[in-house]
Amino acid sequence: MKKIVTLATLSLGMATPAHAGTTALVGATAIDGTGTAIEDSVILVDEGKISCIGTADDCKVPKKADIVQLAGRYVTPGLIDAHVHFAQTGWLDGRPDGLNAPDIYPYPETMAALQADPGRWHRAYLCSGITSVFDVGGADWSVTGEHATDTDRPDRARVRAAGPLITHASEYNANYVADGHPEFAPFLPFDTDDEVRAGIAHLQAIGSNAVKVWFLKPKPERREELENRLLLTGQLAKQAGLPLIVHATGLDEAKAALRAGASILVHSVDDKPVDAEFLDLLKANDTVYTPTIVVGEGWLRAMAAVATGAAYNIDDPGKCVDDAIIERIVTPERLKGQAERLTPDYVVDRALAIGREQAIMAHNLRAIRDAGGRIVTGTDAGNPLALHGASIYWEMEAMQAAGMTPVEVIEAATIAGAKAMGVDGETGSLTAGKSADLLIMPDDPRKDVTAFRLISHVMRKGTLYEQHELQVR
Ligand SMILES: [Zn+2]
């Protein structure tokens, strides 16, 4: 006789571990990033992988299988956040280039605490339904740490990591290294060709999965020099066998990145509408575009909280945000007076600028979607109020509000993200042979991606968790 495991009997506060036998998820509507759906589906899971997915005729349930009845529920692949930073907290204490408060939150202490417990972000990701992440910038430990090198396991999100950013904005390094802790500096210099060669050699030596350039708007007198160096960086990255990832939020800088062969743009173009030249370059390169629509608003809300002393109302439906970070977010008054520019007028000016940028970002996202560009979901988690895990809902809903359909957003947050990370052979879709990384929810996400706020279960590598087991509170 088959053992019937209902959702009720799974509510025992214990994860169902991947085991020698088969787990059969029966009766749900299985949805992929492709827009195709299987009603009344059967998903068989063996040894951490999907062994069969289809109808009851396609996938015969073995007699000894553990059966999980899911009639009326929806199953999707686990979410992928293709832009996170393990070496940032989600608050201003992790960004001394933005607000330096060494007496309140000494950066080396913040960094040491993050390095000591990167598991907090793994917990936040799984709790939020995120089963893979791309860490696109941080100190060496963000690549070499065991949290990033041993992630093919059910208690962690799968990680790829780029490591330190190559940038000409080296003046920002001062706030990171002035305290005598160069090991925590997230930047490599970009002021000579030899520096770039040395930087890429360093990234190769530590095992980075990409070369990331932080290409802030150059001063006019340096533009030609730096664009040429970006071209060289693209060539050297290619020789090293590493994809080139570029932070470039201006249209001119983004085009320079595309000419250099960028595989991924990690942000929207937010200063001007994209033009035909940009779209042609993007398509010719097959470059991935990560809109990160909400991170600027997160910065604004964090600055406003400090300027006014009124705490941000944390949006964390799954109760996944790390307690130590919440404690800092709800006490913004500690940072009052730490940055003279944080006046009410400054906040108003930034709010107007962010509103304009968001309108341009939405326009550009639609233009890239209409041109058939590759769009991937990324939150920039770790930046102020871009909270690890929880911010994925905010970002997906912003993509939907900008004009993408829910199915397009699901694709961007699953299979497209897996391709961007180079892990689509392992995850990103409900496909036999791939890791059993999937989510169960009561509402249909094809109607509205807010359905992901209410996930009831997360399966990572065949281990099925009730969402409440993963909550931190
Ligand atoms: Zn970032």
Side-chain angles (χ1 to χ4, degrees):
M1 205 179 139
K2 285 173 191 167
K3 185 181 167 196
I4 306 296
V5 182
T6 65
L7 287 169
T9 58
L10 276 173
S11 302
L12 299 172
M14 293 286 288
T16 304
H19 52 83
T22 303
T23 302
L25 308 179
V26 174
T29 301
I31 295 164
D32 232 326
T34 59
T36 57
I38 305 169
E39 311 277 344
D40 200 9
S41 65
V42 173
I43 303 171
L44 302 181
V45 175
D46 284 283
E47 293 177 355
K49 291 186 174 176
I50 296 171
S51 55
C52 189
I53 174 164
T55 64
D57 286 340
D58 300 328
C59 301
K60 299 292 182 203
V61 178
K63 283 195 172 134
K64 288 186 177 171
D66 283 346
I67 298 178
V68 183
Q69 298 287 356
L70 295 174
R73 305 255 175 161
Y74 298 85
V75 174
T76 71
L79 297 172
I80 294 175
D81 189 339
H83 187 151
V84 307
H85 301 280
F86 269 83
Q88 294 181 37
T89 62
W91 184 236
L92 292 155
D93 54 345
R95 286 300 296 265
D97 55 325
L99 194 159
N100 195 24
D103 298 332
I104 315 292
Y105 297 129
Y107 183 68
E109 281 181 23
T110 301
M111 242 348 74
L114 288 184
Q115 188 174 3
D117 182 20
R120 72 182 80 199
W121 305 146
H122 282 289
R123 290 191 291 277
Y125 296 138
L126 292 183
C127 175
S128 306
I130 297 167
T131 53
S132 298
V133 296
F134 203 165
D135 182 337
V136 295
D140 283 8
W141 68 264
S142 69
V143 172
T144 58
E146 186 255 358
H147 78 282
T149 56
D150 179 22
T151 64
D152 186 23
R153 45 190 266 188
D155 61 339
R156 289 183 176 172
R158 182 183 287 92
V159 177
R160 295 292 182 272
L165 315 180
I166 297 177
T167 184
H168 59 283
S170 45
E171 68 264 27
Y172 289 120
N173 254 331
N175 286 351
Y176 287 91
V177 301
D179 43 53
H181 285 276
E183 74 275 19
F184 292 140
F187 303 125
L188 296 168
F190 188 71
D191 291 322
T192 68
D193 291 355
D194 281 345
E195 282 179 347
V196 170
R197 286 190 187 90
I200 291 178
H202 176 75
L203 294 172
Q204 272 192 295
I206 65 171
S208 297
N209 296 118
V211 172
K212 165 98 177 274
V213 178
W214 204 36
F215 199 62
L216 300 188
K217 193 180 187 69
K219 293 189 175 108
E221 65 271 22
R222 290 197 76 190
R223 178 172 288 278
E224 189 180 351
E225 170 211 339
L226 293 172
E227 288 192 356
N228 285 335
R229 191 159 301 125
L230 187 58
L231 286 173
L232 172 70
T233 307
Q235 290 163 11
L236 294 171
K238 198 171 182 183
Q239 285 167 20
L242 294 173
L244 177 68
I245 298 181
V246 184
H247 166 120
T249 59
L251 180 59
D252 292 341
E253 292 74 41
K255 284 185 190 173
L258 293 173
R259 287 189 202 102
S263 298
I264 303 177
L265 296 178
V266 290
H267 290 294
S268 284
V269 171
D270 65 10
D271 65 337
K272 292 173 201 159
V274 294
D275 56 15
E277 184 188 17
F278 174 90
L279 292 171
D280 288 347
L281 284 165
L282 188 85
K283 293 284 288 175
N285 272 357
D286 205 21
T287 302
V288 168
Y289 184 84
T290 317
T292 62
I293 297 170
V294 300
V295 61
E297 192 177 333
W299 271 95
L300 169 67
R301 290 185 185 193
M303 294 300 196
V306 173
T308 64
Y312 170 73
N313 192 8
I314 295 168
D315 178 16
D316 180 23
K319 298 188 172 64
C320 303
V321 177
D322 184 69
D323 283 327
I325 302 310
I326 289 184
E327 197 270 334
R328 293 186 171 192
I329 292 171
V330 299
T331 51
E333 67 276 8
R334 283 184 202 158
L335 291 169
K336 201 163 176 64
Q338 292 296 312
E340 281 178 14
R341 73 178 187 286
L342 282 190
T343 62
D345 283 351
Y346 170 87
V347 172
V348 169
D349 286 349
R350 280 308 300 152
L352 292 169
I354 295 284
R356 179 179 186 277
E357 287 165 12
Q358 287 190 331
I360 295 171
M361 286 192 272
H363 170 88
N364 287 341
L365 184 57
R366 290 190 296 274
I368 289 160
R369 185 271 312 271
D370 293 346
R374 293 171 63 187
I375 296 165
V376 161
T377 302
T379 61
D380 214 351
N383 277 276
L385 300 178
L387 300 171
H388 290 277
S391 62
I392 194 86
Y393 312 125
W394 191 16
E395 182 67 28
M396 291 172 73
E397 289 157 19
M399 294 170 85
Q400 181 174 289
M404 291 177 74
T405 67
V407 169
E408 287 169 345
V409 177
I410 294 169
E411 178 183 2
T414 58
I415 188 62
K419 285 178 184 163
M421 287 176 63
V423 298
D424 52 308
E426 302 163 45
T427 193
S429 62
L430 302 174
T431 305
K434 289 194 185 183
S435 180
D437 301 340
L438 54 85
L439 310 177
I440 301 169
M441 62 201 78
D443 295 331
D444 187 346
R446 292 169 302 179
K447 292 184 181 152
D448 189 330
V449 296
T450 55
F452 287 97
R453 287 176 176 265
L454 297 173
I455 50 177
S456 62
H457 294 75
V458 177
M459 181 178 273
R460 169 71 178 112
K461 208 184 178 195
T463 293
L464 186 64
Y465 301 93
E466 291 254 6
Q467 195 277 338
H468 70 79
E469 296 174 71
L470 299 165
Q471 293 177 354
V472 298
R473 280 178 299 291

